Amino acid sequence: MSEKYQVITHGMNGRYGVINSLIPSEDDKRVIVTCDSEVRARLVVDELNKLQYQIEEKPLGLHEDFQEWEKRMTWINKTSRRLVRIEEEYAEKSDKILAEARKLKESEEGIDVIKEKFGGNNDKTRKAYVKEQLSDLLEEKKELTFLKDEDNRKISYLKRLIDMKIELMKINNKGE
């Protein structure tokens, strides 16, 4: 099998050219790059031929990209649903926590848990108390939000990658 990329010396004004041997010799696009030494030109040729071999062994495919896209979309759906449940759960539990704190305050002992912990019992301190009590839910919400944002960026990347591969496939099919 002849290699697609080769080194030439003639007509290069003392330089070494790396060419695509599949392009006719009269075409200027045949020369990809010129190098000042033969060693450098051969290194470039070796790398290009290695990459060409990899492409031929594993042609551009979209199947894995679409599988990854579907996986990310499914995960975003699950994440979004869990985030909604967290919001509902947080609202329900915060009402319950505040009700229990009120009961303690009104009990015989007269303990105002929020005032004892935060030095006061106003709207701001009640919210801080609830946040402290439900910190696990808030942490889960924050982590899921980060993951969802990351998946959205990955989906955007996959879309561009798929579009690029489709264009490359069109170009490759024109050349055949």
Side-chain angles (χ1 to χ4, degrees):
M1 170 180 121
S2 77
E3 303 212 327
K4 181 175 180 177
Y5 301 99
Q6 298 175 355
V7 175
I8 62 166
T9 55
H10 58 280
M12 293 282 108
N13 296 331
R15 294 181 62 82
Y16 296 86
V18 175
I19 63 163
N20 180 341
S21 63
L22 301 180
I23 297 175
S25 60
E26 53 277 349
D27 192 335
D28 291 341
K29 294 178 183 173
R30 178 181 170 137
V31 178
I32 297 169
V33 69
T34 61
C35 300
D36 57 355
S37 75
E38 185 176 5
V39 172
R40 285 190 181 135
R42 296 223 178 271
L43 288 172
V44 170
V45 164
D46 289 345
E47 283 303 310
L48 287 173
N49 283 323
K50 193 183 316 177
L51 288 172
Q52 183 64 34
Y53 177 73
Q54 289 172 353
I55 289 170
E56 289 169 1
E57 286 296 305
K58 186 178 181 202
L60 291 176
L62 298 173
H63 184 71
E64 291 172 359
D65 298 324
F66 279 116
Q67 283 180 327
E68 178 72 12
W69 180 83
E70 182 180 15
K71 181 177 115 181
R72 298 288 175 162
M73 291 298 291
T74 302
W75 177 247
I76 283 178
N77 185 27
K78 287 178 183 178
T79 302
S80 297
R81 291 174 186 277
R82 178 62 185 143
L83 286 169
V84 168
R85 284 194 303 274
I86 287 172
E87 288 291 329
E88 293 168 350
E89 192 176 332
Y90 186 86
E92 182 183 309
K93 286 184 176 183
S94 68
D95 289 344
K96 191 183 240 183
I97 288 168
L98 290 173
E100 288 173 4
R102 276 188 223 104
K103 280 183 190 175
L104 280 175
K105 182 180 177 186
E106 295 166 1
S107 71
E108 298 169 6
E109 300 166 5
I111 300 171
D112 188 342
V113 175
I114 297 173
K115 188 173 185 177
E116 189 176 290
K117 187 156 190 112
F118 293 98
N121 190 344
N122 57 30
D123 191 42
K124 187 177 177 181
T125 56
R126 285 190 290 273
K127 285 182 181 178
Y129 180 69
V130 169
K131 281 184 178 180
E132 182 182 276
Q133 296 298 309
L134 299 176
S135 62
D136 290 347
L137 269 181
L138 292 174
E139 281 300 313
E140 182 183 3
K141 179 183 176 182
K142 186 170 40 170
E143 186 62 30
L144 287 174
T145 302
F146 288 143
L147 290 172
K148 185 178 173 184
D149 290 345
E150 184 180 320
D151 281 342
N152 280 325
R153 286 188 297 276
K154 181 69 175 183
I155 286 170
S156 177
Y157 164 78
L158 285 168
K159 182 185 180 324
R160 294 189 72 153
L161 180 66
I162 289 168
D163 289 345
M164 181 199 66
K165 284 184 176 181
I166 289 170
E167 289 302 314
L168 287 172
M169 288 175 174
K170 287 177 186 177
I171 291 169
N172 284 341
N173 286 338
K174 284 181 185 176
E176 292 176 1

